[in-house]
Amino acid sequence: MKTIKNILAVVLITGMLFNCSNDDDMPTGPTGPNFTGTFAQQDQMGRPAVNTVFVSSSSKDDFNITVPSNQNAAFQAMFQANLEALSPAYANPGDMNALGLDSAAFTGLLATDVLNVSLDGTTTFFDGTNVLTGRALADDVITVELLLIFGGEDFTENPGLSNDNVDANDKPFLSSFPYLAAPW
Amino acid sequence: MKNFKHLLGISSLVVAGIILLSADHIDAPAVQGSTSDITDFYAFEGKDNHNMVFVANVQGLLSPSATADAAFDENVMIEFNIDNNGDNIEDLVIQVIQRNKKMYFVGPIVPNQTGLVSTLSPNFSKDGTSVKITPYGEEPIIGKSQNGISVFAGPRDDPFFFDFAQFGKILNPNDPATSFNNPGTDTFAGTNVLSVVIEVPKELLGNSDSINTWVETKLKQ
């Protein structure tokens, strides 16, 4: 109940500030749009396809409302079981992917679903050199993930499973803001 | 890594889980098909390398004929979370919400509280920047703030690409497929999403060399 009380306090303060405001330059008129209220989490996402691939059906909603700092404790074991079911070689002792991560280490990385982003270097999911330093629009993230799941220690295993052979978007991206292509 | 398909019989839960759509499209029952369903999240260096770009896409798999009527939900706040000290707890947030066909952006700011429940900045509309949501079929409308932030909101081509249909066949024990096709077929070709794009000077993200970042949708209670 303590949290709820805190929320109510914030709401009340927010409401008071709005009531006290007498600015005429609010964007949509003297009263301005209403931005009060509390907002509760519905969905979240860090890295692509993590919830889709590694979280069991019955836990997908829970995963979306578990803060990242608690995800490893809550979900790493499930991630590992699902990875080893999907790609059985990972169940063999010592089996690793091309990042040198075994089943426990790889799922330990993935279970905390945040995107790691460099502020002083190349930003890419994987470009052959840099790994997990961001996610650019053109990054072939699915093939990278398939390679890490099925491709074994040197990306040569299960070639039929480790590349979907769709390597680029269906429209070219823009070179400047807003970067995404116009809709169809 | 052999016998992939043979083991599928004992991993039906995994298979059932995967035969939902991908990157984060339709990832979970509670948000599937709703206005708070995040489809994708990107973070990359801008054309100006002093800037970082964040992209959140929602409401995926829009056909061209359905795109003009698709709209951001006034009750769904999109929140970009930025951890700049490595504990996976947000130190800064960028909050985004629609009002009257305009998108309002505030941040990066220190949130009132971290975690699953949020309130908006008290001076939300004054502290941030706003931009008219770009209507379907029109050139992108770009909002700019005095501190170097650019913002956009509106329909875009879904930038995600994946032969998801073939992946589903591979995982289906009743389907003879055992590998991807070459060339593959992009399941997301020809579909649109509703996009929010914000470009921020890196100096507004803190002093660290890297960040951990994720995006959330939060529904007004």
Side-chain angles (χ1 to χ4, degrees), chain B residues 51-74:
Chain B
N51 294 344
M52 185 61 60
V53 180
F54 298 91
V55 177
N57 293 332
V58 296
Q59 300 185 41
L61 296 169
L62 294 170
S63 68
S65 62
T67 303
D69 291 333
F72 293 99
D73 189 332
E74 291 210 348

mmCIF file of all heavy atoms in Angstrom, chain B residues 51-74:
data_model
loop_
_atom_site.group_PDB
_atom_site.id
_atom_site.type_symbol
_atom_site.label_atom_id
_atom_site.label_comp_id
_atom_site.label_asym_id
_atom_site.label_seq_id
_atom_site.Cartn_x
_atom_site.Cartn_y
_atom_site.Cartn_z
ATOM 1 N N ASN B 51 24.819 12.491 -31.786
ATOM 2 C CA ASN B 51 23.443 12.197 -31.394
ATOM 3 C C ASN B 51 23.161 10.703 -31.347
ATOM 4 O O ASN B 51 23.783 9.925 -32.085
ATOM 5 C CB ASN B 51 22.451 12.819 -32.395
ATOM 6 C CG ASN B 51 22.476 14.334 -32.374
ATOM 7 O OD1 ASN B 51 22.991 14.948 -31.439
ATOM 8 N ND2 ASN B 51 21.930 14.921 -33.425
ATOM 9 N N MET B 52 22.210 10.324 -30.506
ATOM 10 C CA MET B 52 21.708 8.952 -30.443
ATOM 11 C C MET B 52 20.235 8.965 -30.856
ATOM 12 O O MET B 52 19.489 9.877 -30.481
ATOM 13 C CB MET B 52 21.852 8.423 -29.012
ATOM 14 C CG MET B 52 21.488 6.963 -28.829
ATOM 15 S SD MET B 52 22.497 5.821 -29.791
ATOM 16 C CE MET B 52 24.134 6.166 -29.149
ATOM 17 N N VAL B 53 19.857 7.949 -31.645
ATOM 18 C CA VAL B 53 18.480 7.838 -32.133
ATOM 19 C C VAL B 53 17.791 6.659 -31.436
ATOM 20 O O VAL B 53 18.377 5.575 -31.331
ATOM 21 C CB VAL B 53 18.457 7.607 -33.661
ATOM 22 C CG1 VAL B 53 17.024 7.487 -34.171
ATOM 23 C CG2 VAL B 53 19.219 8.701 -34.383
ATOM 24 N N PHE B 54 16.588 6.884 -30.974
ATOM 25 C CA PHE B 54 15.761 5.822 -30.401
ATOM 26 C C PHE B 54 14.494 5.685 -31.269
ATOM 27 O O PHE B 54 13.867 6.691 -31.608
ATOM 28 C CB PHE B 54 15.348 6.146 -28.969
ATOM 29 C CG PHE B 54 16.506 6.275 -28.007
ATOM 30 C CD1 PHE B 54 17.103 7.514 -27.785
ATOM 31 C CD2 PHE B 54 17.004 5.166 -27.338
ATOM 32 C CE1 PHE B 54 18.172 7.637 -26.897
ATOM 33 C CE2 PHE B 54 18.071 5.278 -26.456
ATOM 34 C CZ PHE B 54 18.662 6.524 -26.230
ATOM 35 N N VAL B 55 14.142 4.446 -31.585
ATOM 36 C CA VAL B 55 12.937 4.178 -32.375
ATOM 37 C C VAL B 55 12.088 3.155 -31.635
ATOM 38 O O VAL B 55 12.594 2.107 -31.229
ATOM 39 C CB VAL B 55 13.296 3.603 -33.767
ATOM 40 C CG1 VAL B 55 12.025 3.255 -34.551
ATOM 41 C CG2 VAL B 55 14.170 4.560 -34.551
ATOM 42 N N ALA B 56 10.813 3.457 -31.452
ATOM 43 C CA ALA B 56 9.853 2.468 -30.947
ATOM 44 C C ALA B 56 8.750 2.332 -31.978
ATOM 45 O O ALA B 56 8.204 3.335 -32.451
ATOM 46 C CB ALA B 56 9.265 2.914 -29.616
ATOM 47 N N ASN B 57 8.438 1.096 -32.325
ATOM 48 C CA ASN B 57 7.319 0.833 -33.224
ATOM 49 C C ASN B 57 6.237 0.079 -32.478
ATOM 50 O O ASN B 57 6.514 -0.819 -31.688
ATOM 51 C CB ASN B 57 7.782 -0.001 -34.419
ATOM 52 C CG ASN B 57 8.742 0.760 -35.310
ATOM 53 O OD1 ASN B 57 8.688 1.986 -35.389
ATOM 54 N ND2 ASN B 57 9.647 0.043 -35.964
ATOM 55 N N VAL B 58 4.974 0.456 -32.748
ATOM 56 C CA VAL B 58 3.833 -0.216 -32.138
ATOM 57 C C VAL B 58 2.816 -0.559 -33.228
ATOM 58 O O VAL B 58 2.891 -0.047 -34.350
ATOM 59 C CB VAL B 58 3.162 0.661 -31.044
ATOM 60 C CG1 VAL B 58 4.114 0.912 -29.881
ATOM 61 C CG2 VAL B 58 2.661 1.972 -31.618
ATOM 62 N N GLN B 59 1.892 -1.444 -32.886
ATOM 63 C CA GLN B 59 0.768 -1.788 -33.780
ATOM 64 C C GLN B 59 1.249 -2.291 -35.138
ATOM 65 O O GLN B 59 1.049 -1.653 -36.175
ATOM 66 C CB GLN B 59 -0.171 -0.586 -33.958
ATOM 67 C CG GLN B 59 -0.777 -0.095 -32.638
ATOM 68 C CD GLN B 59 -1.790 1.004 -32.847
ATOM 69 O OE1 GLN B 59 -2.591 0.937 -33.775
ATOM 70 N NE2 GLN B 59 -1.780 2.003 -31.973
ATOM 71 N N GLY B 60 1.902 -3.452 -35.127
ATOM 72 C CA GLY B 60 2.506 -3.982 -36.348
ATOM 73 C C GLY B 60 1.520 -4.606 -37.313
ATOM 74 O O GLY B 60 0.328 -4.721 -37.059
ATOM 75 N N LEU B 61 2.083 -5.010 -38.449
ATOM 76 C CA LEU B 61 1.357 -5.729 -39.493
ATOM 77 C C LEU B 61 0.156 -4.959 -40.030
ATOM 78 O O LEU B 61 -0.868 -5.539 -40.379
ATOM 79 C CB LEU B 61 0.918 -7.111 -38.983
ATOM 80 C CG LEU B 61 2.095 -8.047 -38.650
ATOM 81 C CD1 LEU B 61 1.610 -9.277 -37.914
ATOM 82 C CD2 LEU B 61 2.830 -8.444 -39.935
ATOM 83 N N LEU B 62 0.295 -3.647 -40.115
ATOM 84 C CA LEU B 62 -0.751 -2.829 -40.716
ATOM 85 C C LEU B 62 -0.671 -2.952 -42.233
ATOM 86 O O LEU B 62 0.379 -2.711 -42.821
ATOM 87 C CB LEU B 62 -0.569 -1.361 -40.320
ATOM 88 C CG LEU B 62 -0.756 -1.003 -38.849
ATOM 89 C CD1 LEU B 62 -0.290 0.428 -38.600
ATOM 90 C CD2 LEU B 62 -2.214 -1.175 -38.447
ATOM 91 N N SER B 63 -1.762 -3.311 -42.851
ATOM 92 C CA SER B 63 -1.796 -3.302 -44.315
ATOM 93 C C SER B 63 -1.875 -1.853 -44.776
ATOM 94 O O SER B 63 -2.316 -0.978 -44.020
ATOM 95 C CB SER B 63 -3.013 -4.078 -44.812
ATOM 96 O OG SER B 63 -4.195 -3.379 -44.461
ATOM 97 N N PRO B 64 -1.466 -1.564 -46.012
ATOM 98 C CA PRO B 64 -1.583 -0.180 -46.486
ATOM 99 C C PRO B 64 -3.010 0.363 -46.353
ATOM 100 O O PRO B 64 -3.204 1.525 -45.963
ATOM 101 C CB PRO B 64 -1.149 -0.282 -47.955
ATOM 102 C CG PRO B 64 -0.184 -1.431 -47.960
ATOM 103 C CD PRO B 64 -0.734 -2.413 -46.959
ATOM 104 N N SER B 65 -3.998 -0.465 -46.603
ATOM 105 C CA SER B 65 -5.387 0.029 -46.535
ATOM 106 C C SER B 65 -5.838 0.316 -45.108
ATOM 107 O O SER B 65 -6.786 1.063 -44.885
ATOM 108 C CB SER B 65 -6.329 -0.981 -47.182
ATOM 109 O OG SER B 65 -6.284 -2.205 -46.482
ATOM 110 N N ALA B 66 -5.155 -0.278 -44.134
ATOM 111 C CA ALA B 66 -5.533 -0.066 -42.734
ATOM 112 C C ALA B 66 -4.712 1.038 -42.078
ATOM 113 O O ALA B 66 -4.994 1.437 -40.956
ATOM 114 C CB ALA B 66 -5.354 -1.358 -41.944
ATOM 115 N N THR B 67 -3.698 1.542 -42.784
ATOM 116 C CA THR B 67 -2.734 2.418 -42.128
ATOM 117 C C THR B 67 -3.285 3.807 -41.852
ATOM 118 O O THR B 67 -3.015 4.404 -40.809
ATOM 119 C CB THR B 67 -1.451 2.503 -42.971
ATOM 120 O OG1 THR B 67 -0.942 1.172 -43.164
ATOM 121 C CG2 THR B 67 -0.387 3.338 -42.288
ATOM 122 N N ALA B 68 -4.078 4.343 -42.771
ATOM 123 C CA ALA B 68 -4.578 5.707 -42.581
ATOM 124 C C ALA B 68 -5.437 5.829 -41.333
ATOM 125 O O ALA B 68 -5.457 6.874 -40.687
ATOM 126 C CB ALA B 68 -5.377 6.145 -43.814
ATOM 127 N N ASP B 69 -6.125 4.756 -40.987
ATOM 128 C CA ASP B 69 -7.007 4.793 -39.817
ATOM 129 C C ASP B 69 -6.315 4.393 -38.518
ATOM 130 O O ASP B 69 -6.909 4.493 -37.447
ATOM 131 C CB ASP B 69 -8.209 3.865 -40.038
ATOM 132 C CG ASP B 69 -9.141 4.405 -41.111
ATOM 133 O OD1 ASP B 69 -9.166 5.640 -41.287
ATOM 134 O OD2 ASP B 69 -9.805 3.599 -41.782
ATOM 135 N N ALA B 70 -5.090 3.912 -38.599
ATOM 136 C CA ALA B 70 -4.379 3.504 -37.380
ATOM 137 C C ALA B 70 -3.956 4.751 -36.609
ATOM 138 O O ALA B 70 -3.539 5.742 -37.206
ATOM 139 C CB ALA B 70 -3.159 2.663 -37.738
ATOM 140 N N ALA B 71 -4.079 4.698 -35.294
ATOM 141 C CA ALA B 71 -3.757 5.877 -34.487
ATOM 142 C C ALA B 71 -3.095 5.473 -33.187
ATOM 143 O O ALA B 71 -3.391 4.417 -32.621
ATOM 144 C CB ALA B 71 -5.029 6.673 -34.178
ATOM 145 N N PHE B 72 -2.198 6.332 -32.727
ATOM 146 C CA PHE B 72 -1.645 6.152 -31.395
ATOM 147 C C PHE B 72 -2.771 6.329 -30.365
ATOM 148 O O PHE B 72 -3.673 7.154 -30.551
ATOM 149 C CB PHE B 72 -0.554 7.192 -31.129
ATOM 150 C CG PHE B 72 0.679 7.017 -31.973
ATOM 151 C CD1 PHE B 72 0.882 7.790 -33.116
ATOM 152 C CD2 PHE B 72 1.655 6.090 -31.622
ATOM 153 C CE1 PHE B 72 2.027 7.639 -33.876
ATOM 154 C CE2 PHE B 72 2.800 5.934 -32.385
ATOM 155 C CZ PHE B 72 2.991 6.705 -33.524
ATOM 156 N N ASP B 73 -2.677 5.593 -29.277
ATOM 157 C CA ASP B 73 -3.706 5.621 -28.237
ATOM 158 C C ASP B 73 -3.368 6.700 -27.212
ATOM 159 O O ASP B 73 -2.266 6.705 -26.659
ATOM 160 C CB ASP B 73 -3.746 4.239 -27.567
ATOM 161 C CG ASP B 73 -4.924 4.062 -26.616
ATOM 162 O OD1 ASP B 73 -5.400 5.077 -26.057
ATOM 163 O OD2 ASP B 73 -5.343 2.914 -26.432
ATOM 164 N N GLU B 74 -4.313 7.578 -26.920
ATOM 165 C CA GLU B 74 -4.087 8.643 -25.936
ATOM 166 C C GLU B 74 -3.845 8.103 -24.538
ATOM 167 O O GLU B 74 -3.334 8.814 -23.677
ATOM 168 C CB GLU B 74 -5.295 9.594 -25.891
ATOM 169 C CG GLU B 74 -5.470 10.429 -27.130
ATOM 170 C CD GLU B 74 -6.116 11.771 -26.816
ATOM 171 O OE1 GLU B 74 -6.622 11.925 -25.691
ATOM 172 O OE2 GLU B 74 -6.101 12.649 -27.687
#
